[in-house]
Amino acid sequence: MKIKNLLLLASSIFMLAGCSAGDYFYPSKGGNWVAPPVKEGDDDDDNKTTYNFYFSFWTTTKYNEFLDKDEDSPILSFEFAMLKPLGKAPDELAVDGSEDPNAIDEAKVLALGAALGYTPDPYYDTFLGFSFNGGCLDESGLWDFTKDYKQMSTVTLFGIWVHESL
């Protein structure tokens, strides 16, 4: 009798779990799970990427005295559709009136960094742009806002600062 009750309980839990997932998946004839058809207007509503821009690779967190711990501190953060390039640099960072969609205004980056207490290292005082990698030595590793994107929930871009002679 105990085994019968246990099997009944297990099957009812399985059925309840299946019912709660019914909005997202449904079994086909062969018992395989398939995605439901896409409804009109769904587009990329749920497929968003958070873009986090950091002053540099070394300045991604800031100590919060009140909470007694480090907190994530991007100079700019926003959501955008996944699997699509931004098309141009964000207005908060872009050179005003520039024809180049990848042009970043160093003064805007410095101002956003200063608001969080960040300043560039005196030796690495020239801003190149933003990179998905923590460091790059030339412009070939910089993020191209017209073409680059990642299939990730969060894209982290670091400010690249170099010495003027590089």
Side-chain angles (χ1 to χ4, degrees), residues 81-132:
M82 187 182 290
L83 302 177
K84 293 180 182 175
L86 292 173
K88 65 181 185 78
D91 293 337
E92 296 87 347
L93 301 170
V95 174
D96 295 329
S98 174
E99 295 293 321
D100 180 7
N102 289 308
I104 302 290
D105 188 346
E106 183 176 337
K108 288 183 178 182
V109 174
L110 286 169
L112 290 170
L116 294 170
Y118 300 139
T119 57
D121 182 310
Y123 188 74
Y124 301 103
D125 57 353
T126 303
F127 183 76
L128 281 184
F130 287 95
S131 176
F132 182 73

Side-chain angles (χ1 to χ4, degrees), residues 12-128:
S12 64
I13 289 173
F14 179 76
M15 289 176 65
L16 285 174
C19 290
S20 65
D23 293 338
Y24 304 104
F25 297 97
Y26 57 92
S28 66
K29 290 181 182 178
N32 297 326
W33 291 91
V34 295
V38 177
K39 300 173 192 166
E40 288 294 320
D42 278 356
D43 295 343
D44 289 331
D45 292 343
D46 295 332
N47 297 324
K48 298 284 186 190
T49 296
T50 300
Y51 281 85
N52 287 330
F53 291 80
Y54 292 94
F55 189 71
S56 73
F57 181 74
W58 306 109
T59 56
T60 58
T61 61
K62 186 115 175 112
Y63 181 72
N64 183 325
E65 292 179 18
F66 181 71
L67 298 175
D68 193 32
K69 67 177 187 175
D70 285 339
E71 292 183 317
D72 191 38
S73 60
I75 60 171
L76 179 64
S77 183
F78 59 87
E79 283 189 338
F80 191 76
M82 187 182 290
L83 302 177
K84 293 180 182 175
L86 292 173
K88 65 181 185 78
D91 293 337
E92 296 87 347
L93 301 170
V95 174
D96 295 329
S98 174
E99 295 293 321
D100 180 7
N102 289 308
I104 302 290
D105 188 346
E106 183 176 337
K108 288 183 178 182
V109 174
L110 286 169
L112 290 170
L116 294 170
Y118 300 139
T119 57
D121 182 310
Y123 188 74
Y124 301 103
D125 57 353
T126 303
F127 183 76
L128 281 184

